[in-house]
Amino acid sequence: MNQNVNKQALFNYVLALGDDAITMGHRLSEWCRNAPFLEEDLAIGNVALDFIGRAQMFYQYAAELDDQGRSEDDLAFLRDCRDFRNLLIYELPKGDFAFTMVRQMIVDLFNMEFLEQLTKSSDERLSAIAGKCIKESRYHLRRSHDWVLRLGDGTEESHERAQRALVDIWGYTPELFMVDESEQQLVQAGIAVDRAALMSVWDNRVGQILTEAKLQKPEDSWKVEGGRRGVHTEHLGHMLSELQFLQRAYPGLQW
Amino acid sequence: MTEFKMNEAELEKVFQKRIDDEQKIEPKDWMPEKYRKNLIRQISQHAHSEVIGMQPEGNWITRAPTLRRKMVLLAKVQDEGGHGLYLYSSAETLGISREEMVEALQTGAAKYASIFNYPTLTWADVGAIGWLVDGAAIVNQISLQRTSYGPYARAMVRVCKEESFHQRQGYESLMVLAFGNAEQKQMAQDALDRWWWPSLMMFGPHDADSAHSSQSMKWKIKRKSNDELRQSFVDQSVPQAEYLGLKIPDSNLKWNEERGHYDFGEIDWDEFLRVINGDGMCNRDRISHHVKVHNEGQWVRDAMRAYEEKKRARELKKSA
């Protein structure tokens, strides 16, 4: 494999992981001062902080690999929608508390498996980041799992809201396991995680949690994808216009 | 009955003696009803201020200019929420529930710091709140670390540590703007222009006009008067503004050699009263936001309770 192609593929990969983390962190941070009770404002803020911190670590690494010499903040604040590579599930608006928590359980389960594999990456930097993040994800999953139980097996209203959230999210989950060609090369080089291979474990565990929460696993009747190619929902552009406002309105300054 | 009255009077005497001897009053100790009420008013007002204060600062979390600033701001707003939690707990030791306090906030029976009725319009406002609003809060809270009610004093020790950290962070972020380009410097100056006077108002009316002050001083709930605290704040802030190269919007501000303090102009007390009485820019928004979020969260809190009850019932059944 050509050394440059490899470096470019690695840059794209690390950048995409940064984009996953910043979009998730942004959505979670929207709950701060808007949560159902004060303790939850703090708890959800902690999870948001972990994801933004994760974005910072991935972007720092990506910035070191970038041949255009961009900084971590340039990568977060100065790329437009088409250049963002996050999986779509992360950019979806926060919705109600049921939507947020059902999505969180789904991505926390995914991240547990994903990060576990990433700790085995032949790229030491990625392996080190994964080692740090997996501890956070363990805590995130404990929380989101508990919440899905409470909502699924709480009141009639909470059950309905959780079930609706699950149906609305379900078609975004297959993308978690789709691997493109550039990523496939990195999988073969022992750098990237083969996400396709995580699907059955994830599917099993989601099934267990949903049964425990008295929720119905939706039919696999629809799916959308495109995030890794920069094809997004219309929601991302609005998120970026908010996220990037200052850097765009006052370009080239220190903050 | 006479005997009861004697006892009450004696108890009050013993109580005042303990205060005079700098002993802390603890939740289980006897205390005059007015002392309890006065403290509930003050501590819950303080808790509400922390919670309502999350709104103007939280307004910038999704727009913070760098990843680091975003994390610092989010962590800060979380800290404010945490302060709200320990202050609500302190007030609960006086026999009022958090639900009752929240209801008093939402109906307007309880107040919160009026400064949070001003809007955060630019990124510089976030720095200005850290520097000035947290700075003013610290001046007040340092003296409250010695307040006579034990749980409140201990909460203040913890709160002060975190607030000092926030103040440094706020000042540092404003410093970047003050030393930045012309637009950034203007943004910082504008923030100082808008936050300076409201910050001075945070210390409340002049001592002579303060409704609760003299009794609170006697009970050592308050340790320093509004005017004394305001003066310390002005004295500490002037050199900080000078270092930033920003101008405090007060043409009467001048060092007084004789007093060893800065003289400063008169607060616009009409504005002070107007905002306290509900006509600040954001009074309605702050409360309606609090009510809206609280109501939207009702089904979540219901679900949590219902789940806990089911779980308990299942465990009982299992053990039976």
Side-chain angles (χ1 to χ4, degrees), chain A residues 144-162:
Chain A
S144 59
H145 179 175
D146 280 352
W147 268 117
V148 169
L149 295 186
R150 288 176 189 146
L151 300 181
D153 193 16
T155 60
E156 204 174 310
E157 180 176 6
S158 70
H159 178 86
E160 271 171 29
R161 283 176 183 261

Side-chain angles (χ1 to χ4, degrees), chain B residues 14-30:
Chain B
V14 174
F15 175 82
Q16 189 61 48
K17 171 97 174 44
R18 289 188 59 188
I19 301 263
D20 295 341
D21 292 347
E22 296 292 331
Q23 289 178 37
K24 292 280 176 256
I25 306 302
E26 295 299 335
K28 290 198 171 124
D29 295 342
W30 184 88

Side-chain angles (χ1 to χ4, degrees), chain A residues 238-251:
Chain A
H238 294 280
M239 184 200 287
L240 296 183
S241 66
E242 199 173 342
L243 176 80
Q244 301 180 339
F245 157 67
L246 275 165
Q247 293 274 3
R248 299 291 194 178
Y250 303 91

